[in-house]
Amino acid sequence: MKRRSTWLGSLLLGIALLTPSPGVQADANAQAEDKGQETFRVYIQSEKSDFIQQAKNKYGSRWNLGDHSFSTSVNQSQFEALQNNKNLSVQKVSKVKVNILGGSNQTVTPEDQTPWGIEAMYEDPAIKATSGGENIRVAVLDTGVKTNHQDLKNRSEQCKDFTGLLLPLKDGSCYDLNGHGTHVSGSVLADGGDSGTGVYGVAPEAKLWAYKVLGDTGTGFSDDIAAAIRHAADEGKRLGVNTIISMSLGSEGKDELIAEAISYANKNGTLVVAAAGNSGPDENTIGYPGGHPDAVGVAALENTFENGSYRIADFSSRGNPATDGDYVIGERDVEVSAPGKDILSTWKDGTYNTISGTSMATPHVSGLAAKIWAENPSLSNADVRKELQNRAKAKDILGGLHAAQGDDIASGFGFPTVK
């Protein structure tokens, strides 16, 4: 198995291609609605730029996603016309959702400022506060973030909404009415707040880029997510900062737009970390983008010891058994594991909540990557990923279904920690 990188563009081109065209898009939608037909999202491709430009002029453009691809909204008649155009390829944009399980335990004041996941990451049950992540940017692509939460307000640097109808990209807006994005952000970089009474994430000195790509129900469109991935990579290049993308979202099947965006980010020096999914414990249940070879796929651990190690949660998706034991990351492979069951973190209304999922495991790894990169800023994204793998190998996971010595489909290489 070998990693594949399918798309690469220059920095300046990437920035230009992510410029939405809300006015043109609105005109196209209005024309569709005038015909009394419901519109839906599609992406259009062609190897010839002239045909792409003609299609943009006719249908409008929501996101320009590379040299030869863009997304827009059309009605059924327009979709059928596009399907009959031999010079273009058209597909409906797929939907993506957050990886979260039912059940929660909300509280105004955290019972523990360093929840069990943080203690496990630091291998210190008595730890009172965390540190690290200075000068690293972590782009959390999720339901938004309550950036004025006392534990996050000093960490927030960018706040952007990629889900708008008429204006796809809105700077300064990333509200979170769901809670999921606020929760995962806290596990990455919560700093305890000015009063020191809040919770701590793995890397409380990192800076947060809160990118809202999902709606209030926790679902969204893959073109919005792909645009945000590319935008984060371009911003990292533009500002000259080491950048990590943390995605606690997914779908069962591989999405072309997101896959190409991840490869673009990877090629442009950004580290991508993504949830494995909550469809375990059977084989080959890992979702995407966690199953993409250019993303660090993260499984979930629970606070239970079995066979001398933490136990992989039953709900955590498992990888491809055909690649078991080879310590090579390919398609549909779990790479590492981290705390993901009963995780306490920040919440949408300024309080705290305890929830579970590989969504909760992912930000622990993103935070650890930020700590490693801050301590070694000259490393490449590939170097940081290799360090995560090496640390995981040192903490093998032997508990849970399909967990085994070495590289396995449940925990991947193992559990990477701070030490």
Side-chain angles (χ1 to χ4, degrees), residues 101 251-252 275-288 290-292 297-302 306 310-324 330-338 341 357-358 397-404 407-412:
L101 299 176
S251 61
E252 292 182 1
N278 301 327
S279 300
D282 293 339
E283 301 173 348
N284 276 320
T285 51
I286 188 172
Y288 285 89
H292 192 290
V298 185
L301 299 172
E302 58 186 44
E306 184 178 288
Y310 285 106
R311 187 181 190 278
I312 283 285
D314 287 343
F315 64 75
S316 188
S317 294
R318 269 56 171 181
N320 180 9
T323 63
D324 199 13
E331 203 78 32
R332 302 186 70 86
D333 274 345
V334 173
E335 188 158 342
V336 298
S337 49
K341 186 175 182 181
T358 55
I397 296 298
L398 302 174
L401 295 174
H402 300 294
D407 177 24
D408 61 60
I409 66 171
S411 68

Side-chain angles (χ1 to χ4, degrees), residues 140-159:
V140 174
L141 277 56
D142 214 286
T143 59
V145 178
K146 184 176 177 58
T147 53
N148 63 350
H149 191 292
Q150 69 156 354
D151 300 351
L152 300 174
K153 65 181 182 179
N154 295 324
R155 309 269 50 86
S156 180
E157 184 174 78
Q158 290 190 11
C159 170

Side-chain angles (χ1 to χ4, degrees), residues 38-94:
E38 182 181 357
T39 62
F40 48 88
R41 198 85 61 86
V42 298
Y43 68 97
I44 300 170
Q45 297 174 296
S46 177
E47 289 301 317
K48 296 185 178 180
S49 58
D50 288 347
F51 294 128
I52 283 290
Q53 190 58 52
Q54 291 172 14
K56 287 180 182 178
N57 292 340
K58 185 173 183 178
Y59 299 105
S61 173
R62 178 177 177 85
W63 298 111
N64 296 309
L65 298 166
D67 283 327
H68 306 289
S69 177
F70 72 98
S71 65
T72 188
S73 292
V74 299
N75 62 27
Q76 185 61 35
S77 297
Q78 292 169 327
F79 181 63
E80 292 173 0
L82 284 164
Q83 286 182 309
N84 292 327
N85 189 329
K86 296 180 179 180
N87 297 312
L88 300 172
S89 171
V90 59
Q91 297 185 53
K92 292 184 178 180
V93 171
S94 61

Side-chain angles (χ1 to χ4, degrees), residues 71-330:
S71 65
T72 188
S73 292
V74 299
N75 62 27
Q76 185 61 35
S77 297
Q78 292 169 327
F79 181 63
E80 292 173 0
L82 284 164
Q83 286 182 309
N84 292 327
N85 189 329
K86 296 180 179 180
N87 297 312
L88 300 172
S89 171
V90 59
Q91 297 185 53
K92 292 184 178 180
V93 171
S94 61
K95 289 190 175 181
V96 181
K97 61 182 179 179
V98 294
N99 288 310
I100 188 172
L101 299 176
S104 64
N105 181 21
Q106 196 168 350
T107 179
V108 174
T109 304
E111 297 178 0
D112 188 354
Q113 291 184 272
T114 52
W116 84 264
I118 299 300
E119 295 174 357
M121 294 295 298
Y122 276 79
E123 298 181 79
D124 183 0
I127 189 172
K128 301 298 182 184
T130 59
S131 62
E134 185 177 6
N135 294 323
I136 306 301
R137 272 62 175 180
V138 182
V140 174
L141 277 56
D142 214 286
T143 59
V145 178
K146 184 176 177 58
T147 53
N148 63 350
H149 191 292
Q150 69 156 354
D151 300 351
L152 300 174
K153 65 181 182 179
N154 295 324
R155 309 269 50 86
S156 180
E157 184 174 78
Q158 290 190 11
C159 170
K160 298 180 180 182
D161 186 353
F162 291 78
T163 67
L165 295 178
L166 296 181
L167 185 64
L169 176 55
K170 184 177 181 181
D171 198 357
S173 175
C174 57
Y175 64 91
D176 181 16
L177 299 182
N178 180 283
H180 189 271
T182 302
H183 193 279
V184 299
S185 296
S187 293
V188 178
L189 45 65
D191 63 5
D194 292 336
S195 64
T197 59
V199 297
Y200 286 88
V202 179
E205 296 171 69
K207 288 293 185 180
L208 170 66
W209 290 355
Y211 288 2
K212 181 178 177 66
V213 298
L214 303 174
D216 300 334
T217 61
T219 61
F221 291 96
S222 65
D223 63 328
D224 293 343
I225 296 166
I229 293 170
R230 292 173 180 269
H231 186 80
D234 290 340
E235 283 291 273
K237 281 282 191 179
R238 181 179 70 85
L239 297 171
V241 294
N242 291 327
T243 304
I244 298 162
I245 294 174
S246 187
M247 290 189 287
S248 293
L249 47 80
S251 61
E252 292 182 1
K254 186 175 183 178
D255 180 85
E256 182 178 353
L257 293 179
I258 294 177
E260 290 182 351
I262 290 173
S263 294
Y264 173 84
N266 185 60
K267 283 293 186 180
N268 281 275
T270 298
L271 180 68
V272 181
V273 184
N278 301 327
S279 300
D282 293 339
E283 301 173 348
N284 276 320
T285 51
I286 188 172
Y288 285 89
H292 192 290
D294 284 336
V296 179
V298 185
L301 299 172
E302 58 186 44
N303 192 17
T304 302
F305 273 78
E306 184 178 288
N307 298 327
S309 74
Y310 285 106
R311 187 181 190 278
I312 283 285
D314 287 343
F315 64 75
S316 188
S317 294
R318 269 56 171 181
N320 180 9
T323 63
D324 199 13
D326 61 3
Y327 283 113
V328 177
I329 296 301

